[in-house]
Amino acid sequence: MATAAETTAMRRAITLAARGLGATSPNPVVGCVVLDAAGEQAGEGFHQRAGGPHAEIHALREAGGRARGGTACVTLEPCNHTGRTGPCAQALVEAGVRRVVYAVGDPNPQAEGGADTLVAAGVQVERGLLADEAETVNTAWLTSVRLGRPYVLWKYAATLDGRVAAADSTSRWITSPESRADVHRLRAEADAVVVGSGTARSDDPQLGVRGIEGATQPLRVVVDTGATAVRPGARVLDGTAPTLVAVADGAEAGHLPAGAVLRLPRAAAGPGLDIQALLAALHGRGIRSVLLEGGPVLAGSFVAAGAVDTVVGYLAPVLLGAGPAALADAGISTISQALRLDVTETVRIGPDLRITAVPVPARKGN
């Protein structure tokens, strides 16, 4: 059984892990706290960037000799393979750690087995401490490993009656400055930001992260099936961050920078590109989390493809009565087909309400 000191240490490790969001892909976010033999904190660390030292290494370096005979509390099972860095399981053994407590097992077949290595070396191992909390902070990476595609968070901003723009197409600004600032936090935590051609035409978005010091800029992706929405001089083509413009096979895209064009097959049914092909292409580029920012047509395509893992809606205390809805055709024709959601959080952001929800797993037989 974990001690009170270990529980406190794991909670701190989870907080540390969150600092790596948006900067570690294709690796997970991980936090580690090392306690000395007396149960006092001796070192801590988190995985800061892909290719850099893992959380355990940072924590062991800070702990020094105090790690010997102590306990390491880690949010993810210590890795067991040599990539750009060495295996953390072996580093813990060599540091003389007596006990390792980790929250979540590593589902990556290339890295699993760290717990077995530790046990074989005589280290006491316990799994599952604060597992739910650790899963939450690492949900993007865990989803990508388990499903073989990037985790997708769909964000939208709407009025209380569900409109994302007025009847004349104006939409700036429905939500408050506080909500817009919060969206930049979501961008900073994502590997890629994705919008559709309608958003590119109407808003000419830049899609970079602003107002967050030290943030890693996400890959900017515009789904522009006919290669007609993104033109030379578009803000999304500036030097702030890399950009991909996803176009259909055969579309004339000579006006776009050659390195920015991603050619994909069209969807088998409905408008636009094959969403699964898009996600596979991004996954192949090391993208493990996607922030889908719009608009309604593209969001509908993602929902129809079963490719939305979390929904974050910013609802403003505003009524319009007309204008486009937040979600266009998603292949749902009757109430029995509705995508049911479980609300996991509601938070006031300035005058607005931010609602976070996840799809309810379909019951077998339905």
Side-chain angles (χ1 to χ4, degrees), residues 26 106-109 140-149 283 288:
D106 194 331
N108 184 351
W141 182 82
L142 290 168
T143 298
S144 73
V145 171
R146 291 164 178 164
L147 300 183
R149 63 155 175 81
H283 192 267
R288 297 296 179 262

Side-chain angles (χ1 to χ4, degrees), residues 34-38 60 63-71 93-98:
V34 173
L35 304 176
D36 64 17
L60 288 172
R66 293 177 64 194
R68 186 163 299 280
T71 299
V93 171
E94 292 174 357
V97 169
R98 176 187 62 85

